[in-house]
Amino acid sequence: MSKLIGILSDTHSCWDDKFSRYFAGCDEIWHCGDIGDYSIVERLQEIAPVVRAVCGNIDHGMVRHRCSESLIFETEGVKVWLTHIAGYPGKYAPGAAKVIAENNIKLLVCGHSHILKVMPDPKFNLLHINPGAAGHHGWQRERTIIRLTIDQGRPSQLEVITLNPKTAS
């Protein structure tokens, strides 16, 4: 069995109808924080049966009340850590390497930097994914989201989707 996953981060309260188009048919959607308004999560829940979301450093109110700062879970045989701030291979945030090692994480999904990064970490034998920013707030020039399949314990068919250039905020 396999799962199709939609991944986004740093919406900063920005909804784009393209989320519905690109995430249609996904089994799960993961939001890596800086959601902004909780209505973003509610609208994502209309697209996919499972929405996993964590809060980020700009989140407050309902988002902070309903979303934890970090989720560690297993799906299709892959141990996943979904968080907002984790850094990246070779430059992890303080404490991140410990969480990775202690939990045998094989897929690290985070946001915060607004920088799209997909890279392996041979030290921990994991795949690191930062989908970039899906919202308009921030310095990124392009807004991006990701789709990937998790099949038989392995991420595969990863697709980066550029929504469109950022408009002024």
Side-chain angles (χ1 to χ4, degrees), residues 8 32 43 48 95 97 105 112 114 118 148 153 156 160 163 165:
L8 73 167
C32 310
R43 292 181 80 175
I105 301 299
H112 184 61
H114 293 218
V118 176
L148 83 145
S156 64
V160 174
L163 298 172

Side-chain angles (χ1 to χ4, degrees), residues 114-125:
H114 293 218
I115 299 170
L116 170 69
K117 280 188 190 243
V118 176
M119 57 193 301
D121 182 342
K123 178 179 178 183
F124 292 107
N125 189 29

Side-chain angles (χ1 to χ4, degrees), residues 17 23-24 28 31 34 47 57 69 105 132 137 141 153 156:
D17 288 335
F23 291 156
E28 298 187 12
H31 195 305
D34 280 3
I47 302 168
N57 56 296
E69 291 186 14
I105 301 299
H137 178 78
R141 292 180 183 207
S156 64

Side-chain angles (χ1 to χ4, degrees), residues 46-66:
E46 295 172 6
I47 302 168
V50 175
V51 174
R52 300 178 195 260
V54 295
C55 58
N57 56 296
I58 66 107
D59 291 318
H60 59 280
M62 187 64 72
V63 175
R64 188 128 324 247
H65 179 72
R66 293 197 174 168

Side-chain angles (χ1 to χ4, degrees), residues 17-149:
D17 288 335
K18 291 177 185 173
F19 300 161
S20 297
R21 180 174 52 176
Y22 289 115
F23 291 156
C26 284
D27 299 295
E28 298 187 12
I29 298 173
W30 302 345
H31 195 305
C32 310
D34 280 3
I35 295 163
D37 191 279
Y38 193 75
S39 66
I40 299 293
V41 174
E42 293 170 332
R43 292 181 80 175
L44 292 171
Q45 290 170 333
E46 295 172 6
I47 302 168
V50 175
V51 174
R52 300 178 195 260
V54 295
C55 58
N57 56 296
I58 66 107
D59 291 318
H60 59 280
M62 187 64 72
V63 175
R64 188 128 324 247
H65 179 72
R66 293 197 174 168
C67 300
S68 66
E69 291 186 14
S70 177
L71 293 173
I72 295 175
F73 57 94
E74 188 169 319
T75 187
E76 298 303 310
V78 176
K79 193 76 168 277
V80 179
W81 181 23
L82 180 65
T83 192
H84 185 60
I85 300 174
Y88 54 89
K91 192 167 169 98
Y92 285 118
K98 182 178 180 187
V99 172
I100 292 167
E102 288 179 352
N103 293 280
N104 196 27
I105 301 299
K106 295 303 170 197
L107 179 58
L108 168 55
V109 185
C110 64
H112 184 61
S113 71
H114 293 218
I115 299 170
L116 170 69
K117 280 188 190 243
V118 176
M119 57 193 301
D121 182 342
K123 178 179 178 183
F124 292 107
N125 189 29
L126 66 77
L127 179 64
H128 167 276
I129 296 175
N130 183 324
H136 293 283
H137 178 78
W139 57 270
Q140 73 280 358
R141 292 180 183 207
E142 293 184 325
R143 298 182 310 115
T144 53
I145 59 176
I146 287 179
R147 279 190 306 218
L148 83 145
T149 299

